[in-house]
């Protein structure tokens, strides 16, 4: 007899493990399968966590170079990259063990192996020793995430031609690094290696970085990154990437027809990620995919097969850990007969560079495109006392509010701790706040959050400190 479960979750990333825990909390007998021995998915093993660890260490290193200016004399600074990598691996280990503990605590049965459908109610789990276990399930939730995309004909070797995974594990600091794509991964990993000593070149197809971000913020972001030493090649299309024993050669052409060549020790290709469904055997059971290879679901995360659902990076929407988590909770609640729901209009996004960049809601470009009348409030960190006191006065807060109702429609921040500040605005927007609500809310002094209050005041041109 096969083990039988109410629900099987394939994938233990932030979508899968959160979903499995919520299902178990709701009283359903739950299995969670992952081909990785350590649960936590891309996010914990090769994504959010290791990248934020390296961003933090490299930022400390870069700040320490300037300690002398503020009166702290520490002598010659040295980098021990292997210790840095060990420290990063320790963070991954601690957090993945934490997820394993939570699954166990909630009585979720974790299986290590590749999950694939034998039928819509039968799942095979093949582990690395090639031993197969079969389980029966009433419902299945596919949370198999995504994988990096390369350029046509180029394979990642993770030594010279890197995806984010290779860029998180280099064993020496490259003298020169070329990054293709000025999105989340390119700019976070570019910041890491630039701070650790690499000459970083970013080649971007468009005429601006971070597509989709409010353009004013994006332009300011690029200005700041340039000052930090990152070199940008915009409007540039990569044509070939060749490698030999000592270097990688990238040929690209600019929009104006100019041809360019850059040589470097390594190249990071960060031009996006695609849904990963390779080993699930979806064809056999007839689960429909969309044109981009993502699993097609309805508003309740249900595929065209009635007992199979999908969430996270493997479906449409922003490829973000917290989006996957929200969907994980929602689908668990829907399967249990509750009213699960995700508000896609209010999903924050954060880039963990220095300064951080964070946003929630609509950009100015989107409001214009949708013919929405809006007011803009702005406040620079140069006028924020906390930012001035600690000498981190870069960036600004931008608030967009409906001209008629004053409801906040979008908030965009580039500045210190923007990733934490955005939470206040996310909550405010969930409650339908107006800019006046925020302007009349008491904010502690001296804090970075006062810049948010001032940006709200600035919507009616009544800011005090600028
Ligand atoms: P995943 O986390 O990808 O998990 C899917 C899991 O399913 C994997 O463990 C995989 O091994 C497993 N799997 C796949 N197929 C099978 C199968 N057939 N059988 C068994 N197991 C299978 N997002 C943020 O919000 N903030 C960040 O700071 C951030 N930083 C990132 C940094 C990097 C370098 C990268 C690459 C991504 C980052 N992301 C970040 C994105 C984030 O990691 C993803 O959005 C998130 O992990 C998606 O969660 P998921 O549960 O859908 O899938
Ligand atoms: P991305 O979609 O963020 O950026 C890709 C960039 O590459 C874009 O600027 C695009 O215009 C450019 N591009 C595409 N094709 C190109 C080409 N042929 N030549 C030159 N440029 C090209 O993708 P990225 O950085 O790979 O990240 C994938 C996803 O992972 C992100 O979209 C995000 O969802 C997630 N992520 C989130 C993070 C966070 O929340 N802090 C951090 C890292 C990743």
């Amino acid at each position: 007899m096969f083990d039988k479960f109410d629900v099987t979750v394939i994938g233990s990333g932030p979508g899968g493990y959160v979903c499995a825990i919520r299902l178990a909390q709701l009283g359903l007998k739950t299995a969670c399968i992952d081909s990785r021995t350590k649960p936590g998915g891309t996010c914990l093993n090769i994504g959010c966590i290791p990248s934020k660890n390296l961003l933090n260490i490299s930022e400390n290193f870069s700040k320490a170079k300037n300690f002398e200016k503020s009166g702290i004399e520490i002598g010659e600074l040295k980098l021990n990259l292997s210790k840095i990598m060990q420290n990063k691996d320790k963070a991954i280990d601690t957090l993945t063990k934490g997820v394993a503990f939570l699954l166990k605590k909630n009585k979720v049965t974790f299986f290590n192996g590749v999950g694939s459908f034998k039928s819509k109610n039968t799942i095979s789990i093949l582990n690395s020793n090639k031993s197969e276990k079969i389980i029966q399930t009433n419902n299945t939730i596919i949370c198999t995430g995504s994988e990096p995309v390369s350029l046509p004909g180029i394979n990642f070797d993770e030594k010279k031609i890197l995806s984010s995974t290779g860029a998180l594990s280099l064993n020496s600091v490259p003298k020169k690094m070329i990054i293709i794509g000025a999105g989340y991964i390119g700019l976070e990993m570019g910041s890491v290696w630039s701070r650790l000593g690499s000459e970083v070149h970013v080649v971007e197809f468009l005429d601006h970085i971070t597509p989709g971000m409010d353009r004013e913020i994006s332009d300011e972001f690029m200005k700041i990154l340039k000052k930090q030493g990152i070199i940008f090649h915009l409007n540039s299309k990569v044509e070939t990437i060749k490698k030999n024993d000592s270097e990688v050669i990238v040929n690209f052409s600019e929009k104006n027809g100019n041809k360019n060549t850059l040589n470097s020790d390594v190249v990071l290709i960060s031009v996006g990620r695609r849904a990963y469904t390779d080993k699930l055997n979806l064809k056999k059971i007839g689960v429909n995919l969309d044109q981009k290879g993502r699993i097609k679901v309805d508003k309740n995360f249900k595929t065209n097969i009635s007992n199979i659902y999908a969430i996270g990076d493997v479906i449409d929407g922003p490829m973000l850990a917290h989006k996957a988590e929200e969907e994980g909770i929602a689908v668990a609640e829907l399967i249990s007969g509750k009213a699960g729901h995700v508000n896609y209009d209010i999903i924050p996004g954060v880039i963990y560079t220095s300064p951080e960049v964070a946003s929630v809601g609509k950009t100015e470009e989107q409001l214009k495109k949708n013919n929405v009348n809006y007011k803009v409030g702005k406040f620079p960190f140069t006028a924020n006392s906390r930012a001035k006191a600690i000498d981190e006065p870069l960036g600004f807060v931008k608030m967009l509010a409906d001209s008629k109702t004053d409801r906040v429609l979008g908030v965009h921040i580039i500045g210190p701790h923007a990733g934490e500040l955005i939470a206040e605005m996310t909550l405010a927007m969930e409650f339908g706040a107006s800019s006046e609500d925020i302007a009349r809310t008491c904010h502690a002094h001296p804090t970075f959050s006062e810049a948010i209050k001032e940006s709200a005041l600035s919507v009616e041109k009544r800011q005090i400190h600028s």
Side-chain angles (χ1 to χ4, degrees):
M1 272 299 281
F2 300 131
D3 291 345
K4 194 161 189 263
F5 292 89
D6 295 322
V7 190
T8 298
V9 176
I10 308 182
S12 70
Y17 86 76
V18 167
C19 177
I21 289 173
R22 186 70 189 122
L23 286 162
Q25 283 176 350
L26 290 163
L28 294 166
K29 189 177 175 199
T30 306
C32 182
I33 306 169
D34 204 297
S35 47
R36 286 194 166 89
T37 47
K38 294 178 180 179
T42 302
C43 173
L44 271 68
N45 288 284
I46 51 163
C48 322
I49 297 306
S51 59
K52 265 77 262 180
N53 177 284
L54 292 183
L55 278 156
N56 181 52
I57 304 256
S58 60
E59 189 178 359
N60 287 345
F61 182 63
S62 132
K63 277 187 175 161
K65 287 184 190 159
N66 292 318
F67 275 174
E68 215 168 318
K69 280 189 202 153
S70 48
I72 303 172
E73 293 171 12
I74 49 174
E76 195 197 347
L77 269 185
K78 274 195 199 150
L79 197 69
N80 183 336
L81 190 61
S82 87
K83 213 166 176 178
I84 287 177
M85 291 297 167
Q86 277 168 29
N87 183 54
K88 174 208 67 177
D89 292 340
K90 203 170 127 202
I92 296 172
D93 211 43
T94 310
L95 280 153
T96 52
K97 278 187 181 140
V99 171
F101 166 78
L102 289 173
L103 289 171
K104 203 167 168 193
K105 181 181 152 201
N106 285 281
K107 302 197 172 40
V108 174
T109 307
F110 181 72
F111 293 105
N112 173 224
V114 175
S116 63
F117 288 94
K118 280 193 162 310
S119 74
K120 69 191 189 78
N121 293 104
T122 315
I123 312 273
S124 147
I125 306 160
L126 193 63
N127 73 19
S128 52
N129 303 327
K130 301 271 175 279
S131 78
E132 187 183 35
K133 180 168 178 72
I134 311 278
I135 59 172
Q136 293 287 332
T137 184
N138 290 338
N139 295 289
T140 300
I141 304 170
I142 302 170
C143 322
T144 48
S146 60
E147 62 174 353
V149 173
S150 187
L151 295 172
I154 312 289
N155 295 322
F156 296 118
D157 62 20
E158 303 298 8
K159 297 226 155 31
K160 283 194 159 56
I161 301 181
L162 313 172
S163 71
S164 51
T165 306
L168 288 166
S169 300
L170 293 174
N171 54 22
S172 63
V173 178
K175 276 207 182 72
K176 200 164 160 186
M177 177 182 238
I178 299 171
I179 295 177
I180 305 174
Y184 279 72
I185 291 178
L187 300 179
E188 287 190 352
M189 294 318 298
S191 291
V192 166
W193 292 107
S194 162
R195 291 167 189 164
L196 296 181
S198 301
E199 178 183 316
V200 172
H201 290 253
V202 178
V203 180
E204 166 62 47
F205 186 67
L206 300 173
D207 65 351
H208 60 283
I209 65 170
T210 52
M213 182 183 281
D214 188 277
R215 190 58 190 269
E216 213 177 342
I217 297 274
S218 160
D219 290 346
E220 177 74 7
F221 187 26
M222 190 169 86
K223 237 191 263 165
I224 293 173
L225 292 174
K226 268 183 169 172
K227 275 197 193 137
Q228 291 174 2
I230 296 182
I231 301 154
F232 288 92
H233 308 266
L234 301 180
N235 285 312
S236 294
K237 186 172 187 293
V238 172
E239 268 153 9
T240 58
I241 302 178
K242 292 189 181 126
K243 61 175 178 176
N244 57 38
D245 286 347
S246 57
E247 61 178 2
V248 191
I249 304 130
V250 177
N251 286 304
F252 58 96
S253 59
E254 292 171 33
K255 228 181 189 168
N256 59 15
N258 284 352
K259 302 271 180 201
N260 242 319
T261 300
L262 283 172
N263 301 41
S264 66
D265 305 275
V266 294
V267 57
L268 162 63
I269 302 177
S270 46
V271 295
R273 296 177 61 83
R274 71 169 144 246
Y276 182 73
T277 57
D278 285 8
K279 303 205 172 122
L280 290 166
N281 209 12
L282 293 183
K283 264 199 185 134
K284 175 161 179 150
I285 48 165
V287 170
N288 288 341
L289 304 182
D290 68 14
Q291 279 179 335
K292 291 186 173 170
R294 299 172 297 203
I295 297 179
K296 259 195 200 167
V297 290
D298 67 12
K299 64 178 182 3
N300 291 333
F301 309 102
K302 202 179 261 189
T303 67
N304 56 310
I305 310 289
S306 65
N307 67 333
I308 300 178
Y309 301 75
I311 59 148
D313 279 11
V314 82
I315 66 168
D316 190 12
M319 289 184 166
L320 295 172
H322 41 284
K323 176 259 192 188
E325 288 186 38
E326 291 305 315
E327 290 177 343
I329 300 278
V331 74
E333 295 185 345
L334 287 164
I335 285 178
S336 311
K338 295 187 177 298
H341 172 70
V342 178
N343 183 357
Y344 289 99
D345 288 334
I346 308 185
I347 294 182
V350 180
I351 305 188
Y352 296 82
T353 43
S354 180
E356 291 178 351
V357 185
S359 64
V360 62
K362 297 278 185 273
T363 63
E364 198 167 347
E365 290 71 33
Q366 285 171 325
L367 295 179
K368 277 187 184 140
K369 197 172 157 209
N370 298 337
N371 293 319
V372 178
N373 292 323
Y374 60 91
K375 304 173 280 185
V376 184
K378 253 189 270 176
F379 191 79
F381 281 100
T382 42
N384 171 266
S385 54
R386 178 73 179 276
K388 290 283 260 193
I390 66 160
D391 199 19
E392 284 191 29
L394 288 178
F396 59 93
V397 180
K398 175 172 177 179
M399 187 174 291
L400 300 163
D402 189 286
S403 297
K404 227 182 187 168
T405 64
D406 193 34
R407 189 178 178 139
V408 178
L409 302 173
V411 180
H412 307 276
I413 311 173
I414 177 163
H417 302 277
E420 301 298 331
L421 295 178
I422 205 69
E424 179 191 352
M425 289 302 91
T426 308
L427 187 66
M429 286 176 68
E430 276 290 356
F431 280 81
S434 62
S435 80
E436 176 154 13
D437 289 331
I438 295 155
R440 292 193 184 276
T441 301
C442 183
H443 286 70
H445 175 77
T447 60
F448 303 116
S449 71
E450 286 173 291
I452 287 185
K453 178 186 169 101
E454 291 270 4
S455 75
L457 284 165
S458 150
V459 169
E460 295 298 341
K461 309 296 166 235
R462 56 192 168 112
Q463 69 273 24
I464 303 294
H465 291 96
S466 73

